[in-house]
C-alpha cells in the first residue's frame, strides 16, 4: 500500500490543481474592471484567495510525497536533498525568471519602476515584509521556494543528528515549521495594530515567514496518508465533510457572525489562515484517492502541469498589458466577452509554448 501511496498520480489532485489555476485566471480578470465593492467582486476575491491557498497546501503535499519517494529505498543522503531541490525547482525557477524578465522589459518600456529590486533575483521580495507593486503575484513563488529549502535542509539535519526514522523525521519537521510560523503570527499580532483587511493582505497573508504553515499543513497531511493509510481511507468521507464545512464557514460564517479584523484581530492574524489551510487539506483524503481515466481528466492533468507558467504570466504579463491597450471600462458586453476570450487564449497559449521551449532548452 505504501509503495502505491508514494508513486501514484491522482486524478483528483490534478483536478484540484487545474480547477485552482482556472479559477485564478478567471477571477483575476474581474480586477481590471473599474469597480465598487460589490457582492460579485467579493465572491471573485474569495475564490481567488481560496485557489491560491489550495495550491500552497498542494505544494506541501507534493513536497512530502517527493521526499519520501526519493528516499524510500535508499539512505537519506545529501545527494538526495540536492536531487529533491533540482526536481522541485526545474520547472518553477526557469518559468519564474522568464516571467521576471518579461515584467522588467514591460515596465522598462513605461519607465523604470522604483519598486523593482534585486530582491526578486533571490526570491526575498516578500520574505519578511510586504511585496512591492512590481510583479505582485510572485509572492506565492517565494513561499514555495523557501518552504522547499527550509524543509529539505532541516529534514536532512534532523535525520543525520538524531538518526530518526525518515517518516518520523518528516512529521517532526512539519510540526516544527508549522509551530514556528504560528509563533511569527503571534508576534505580528501583538506588535502590529492592524485593523485593515488590505494591510492584513499585504503585510501578513503574502509574507513568507507567516505563511510556511500553509505549505507544511499539506506536508503533514501527506504524512497522515503514508503513515495511517487505513485511517486515511476509511475516514475520507468525514474529512471531506469537515473540509467543506470549514470552507463554508470561511465563505459565509465569518461575515455572518461578524468576526471582523477590527474586532477579532487575534483570529485573523493567527488562526484564520491555518484554519483555511486545514479546511482545504481535509479535501485531500477523498481527492487523492479519486482515480478515473477519461479525456476530461487528462485535459485537467495537462492544465495542472502548466500551473507555474499560467500563474506567472496571467496577470502582470498578459492581463495588465492588455488593459493598458484597451480600457475595459469603455467596452460593451460583447467587447468584454472578446477581451476575456483573448485574455484566456493568450495566457494558455503563451504558457503552453513557454513550457515546450523550456523543456527543450532546460530539460
Amino acid at each position: 500500500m505504501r509503495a502505491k501511496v508514494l508513486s501514484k498520480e491522482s486524478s483528483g489532485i490534478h483536478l484540484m490543481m487545474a480547477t485552482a489555476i482556472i479559477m485564478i485566471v478567471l477571477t483575476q480578470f474581474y480586477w481590471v474592471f473599474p469597480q465598487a465593492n460589490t457582492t460579485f467582486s467579493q465572491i471573485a476575491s474569495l475564490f481567488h484567495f481560496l485557489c491560491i491557498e489550495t495550491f500552497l497546501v498542494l505544494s506541501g503535499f507534493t513536497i512530502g510525497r517527493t521526499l519520501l519517494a526519493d528516499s524510500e529505498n535508499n539512505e537519506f543522503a545529501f545527494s538526495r536533498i540536492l536531487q529533491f531541490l533540482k526536481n522541485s525547482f526545474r520547472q518553477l525557477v526557469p518559468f519564474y525568471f522568464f516571467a521576471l524578465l518579461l515584467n522588467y522589459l514591460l515596465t522598462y518600456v513605461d519607465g523604470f519602476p522604483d519598486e523593482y529590486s534585486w530582491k526578486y533575483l533571490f526570491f526575498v521580495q516578500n520574505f519578511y515584509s510586504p511585496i512591492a507593486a512590481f510583479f505582485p503575484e510572485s509572492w506565492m513563488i517565494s513561499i514555495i521556494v523557501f518552504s522547499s529549502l527550509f524543509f529539505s535542509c532541516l529534514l536532512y539535519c534532523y535525520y543525520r543528528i538524531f538518526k530518526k526514522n525518515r517518516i518520523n523525521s518528516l512529521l517532526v519537521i512539519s510540526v516544527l515549521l508549522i509551530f514556528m510560523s504560528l509563533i511569527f503570527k503571534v508576534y505580528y499580532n501583538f506588535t502590529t495594530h492592524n485593523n485593515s483587511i488590505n494591510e492584513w493582505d499585504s503585510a501578513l497573508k503574502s509574507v513568507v515567514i507567516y505563511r510556511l504553515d500553509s505549505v507544511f499543513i499539506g506536508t503533514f497531511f501527506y504524512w497522515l496518508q503514508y503513515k495511517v493509510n487505513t485511517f486515511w481511507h476509511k475516514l475520507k468521507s468525514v474529512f471531506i465533510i469537515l473540509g467543506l464545512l470549514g470552507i463554508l464557514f470561511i465563505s459565509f460564517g465569518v461575515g455572518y457572525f461578524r468576526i471582523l479584523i477590527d474586532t477579532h484581530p487575534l483570529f485573523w492574524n493567527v488562526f484564520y489562515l491555518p484554519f483555511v489551510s486545514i479546511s482545504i487539506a481535509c479535501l485531500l483524503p477523498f481527492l487523492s484517492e479519486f482515480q478515473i481515466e477519461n479525456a476530461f481528466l487528462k485535459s485537467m492533468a495537462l492544465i495542472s502541469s502548466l500551473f507555474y507558467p499560467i500563474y506567472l504570466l496571467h496577470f502582470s504579463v498578459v492581463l495588465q498589458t492588455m488593459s493598458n491597450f484597451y480600457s475595459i471600462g469603455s467596452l460593451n458586453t460583447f467587447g468584454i466577452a472578446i477581451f476575456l476570450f483573448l485574455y484566456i487564449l493568450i495566457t494558455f497559449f503563451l504558457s503552453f509554448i513557454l513550457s515546450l521551449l523550456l523543456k527543450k532548452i532546460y530539460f
Side-chain angles (χ1 to χ4, degrees):
M1 175 63 76
R2 288 184 178 177
K4 292 181 180 179
V5 169
L6 285 170
S7 62
K8 71 177 180 181
E9 289 288 335
S10 168
S11 301
I13 298 298
H14 288 312
L15 179 63
M16 197 175 181
M17 189 175 294
T19 303
I21 191 57
I22 290 170
M23 291 305 301
I24 288 170
V25 171
L26 291 177
T27 54
Q28 192 83 73
F29 173 71
Y30 190 74
W31 289 10
V32 299
F33 280 89
Q35 57 183 297
N37 188 23
T38 64
T39 300
F40 188 82
S41 69
Q42 293 176 359
I43 293 173
S45 296
L46 175 64
F47 272 104
H48 187 272
F49 163 71
L50 289 175
C51 290
I52 293 288
E53 298 303 306
T54 295
F55 187 71
L56 290 176
V57 172
L58 287 175
S59 295
F61 193 77
T62 303
I63 287 172
R65 182 178 63 189
T66 306
L67 273 171
L68 287 184
D70 282 348
S71 61
E72 174 66 6
N73 299 313
N74 299 278
E75 184 180 359
F76 195 50
F78 186 69
S79 60
R80 290 270 162 193
I81 289 292
L82 296 180
Q83 186 63 40
F84 163 74
L85 293 175
K86 179 182 177 182
N87 292 338
S88 298
F89 297 155
R90 66 187 305 176
Q91 286 189 331
L92 187 154
V93 171
F95 291 139
Y96 172 83
F97 280 109
F98 183 81
L100 180 62
L101 177 62
L102 287 179
N103 274 273
Y104 171 77
L105 293 175
L106 289 170
T107 52
Y108 184 80
V109 171
D110 294 330
F112 193 78
D114 294 335
E115 294 88 354
Y116 183 76
S117 169
W118 58 268
K119 293 180 180 181
Y120 288 86
L121 298 174
F122 301 97
F123 303 95
V124 294
Q125 61 268 34
N126 61 313
F127 185 78
Y128 60 87
S129 59
I131 193 170
F134 176 81
F135 199 14
E137 62 270 36
S138 65
W139 68 267
M140 187 186 72
I141 303 301
S142 297
I143 294 171
I144 294 170
V145 166
F146 282 106
S147 295
S148 299
L149 286 171
F150 291 159
F151 190 80
S152 57
C153 293
L154 286 174
L155 183 63
Y156 173 77
C157 293
Y158 181 83
Y159 175 75
R160 284 296 172 188
I161 294 172
F162 297 102
K163 306 296 183 182
K164 298 292 184 180
N165 178 276
R166 284 185 291 267
I167 311 306
N168 293 336
S169 298
L170 186 139
L171 171 64
V172 170
I173 300 304
S174 297
V175 173
L176 173 65
L177 288 169
I178 290 170
F179 185 67
M180 285 177 57
S181 187
L182 289 174
I183 290 176
F184 284 131
K185 286 191 179 74
V186 171
Y187 177 80
Y188 174 89
N189 180 72
F190 289 107
T191 58
T192 306
H193 301 288
N194 170 31
N195 58 4
S196 165
I197 196 66
N198 291 328
E199 184 180 346
W200 174 87
D201 183 83
S202 62
L204 188 140
K205 183 180 78 69
S206 304
V207 175
V208 171
I209 60 172
Y210 304 127
R211 300 311 318 277
L212 296 175
D213 55 340
S214 293
V215 177
F216 297 122
I217 284 170
T219 307
F220 172 76
F221 267 73
Y222 184 79
W223 177 86
L224 284 178
Q225 183 190 30
Y226 185 91
K227 188 68 173 179
V228 287
N229 190 259
T230 302
F231 169 82
W232 177 275
H233 176 74
K234 287 183 177 180
L235 295 182
K236 62 183 180 181
S237 298
V238 176
F239 273 115
I240 198 169
I241 291 172
L242 291 175
L244 292 174
L245 288 175
I247 292 171
L248 285 174
F249 176 76
I250 294 159
S251 304
F252 304 105
V254 171
Y256 179 81
F257 293 107
R258 306 297 294 171
I259 308 174
L260 306 178
I261 192 168
D262 55 341
T263 57
H264 298 79
L266 180 65
F267 171 78
W268 278 88
N269 292 333
V270 179
F271 300 111
Y272 179 81
L273 290 169
F275 182 79
V276 171
S277 299
I278 292 171
S279 298
I280 292 170
C282 283
L283 307 181
L284 289 172
F286 179 84
L287 290 172
S288 65
E289 297 190 356
F290 182 75
Q291 198 76 16
I292 297 177
E293 294 294 332
N294 57 41
F296 172 73
L297 288 174
K298 287 181 179 178
S299 66
M300 291 295 101
L302 174 61
I303 292 173
S304 70
S305 70
L306 296 174
F307 188 99
Y308 285 126
I310 292 172
Y311 177 77
L312 289 166
L313 295 176
H314 81 283
F315 182 60
S316 294
V317 174
V318 178
L319 186 57
Q320 285 193 333
T321 302
M322 288 180 65
S323 63
N324 288 338
F325 284 98
Y326 300 99
S327 175
I328 193 74
S330 63
L331 298 176
N332 57 27
T333 303
F334 180 75
I336 292 173
I338 295 297
F339 189 101
L340 175 61
F341 173 76
L342 290 175
Y343 159 56
I344 296 172
L345 179 65
I346 293 170
T347 298
F348 280 81
F349 178 76
L350 283 179
S351 301
F352 182 71
I353 296 301
L354 177 60
S355 180
L356 290 179
L357 288 174
L358 288 181
K359 281 180 180 178
K360 289 184 177 294
I361 297 171
Y362 183 74
F363 304 137

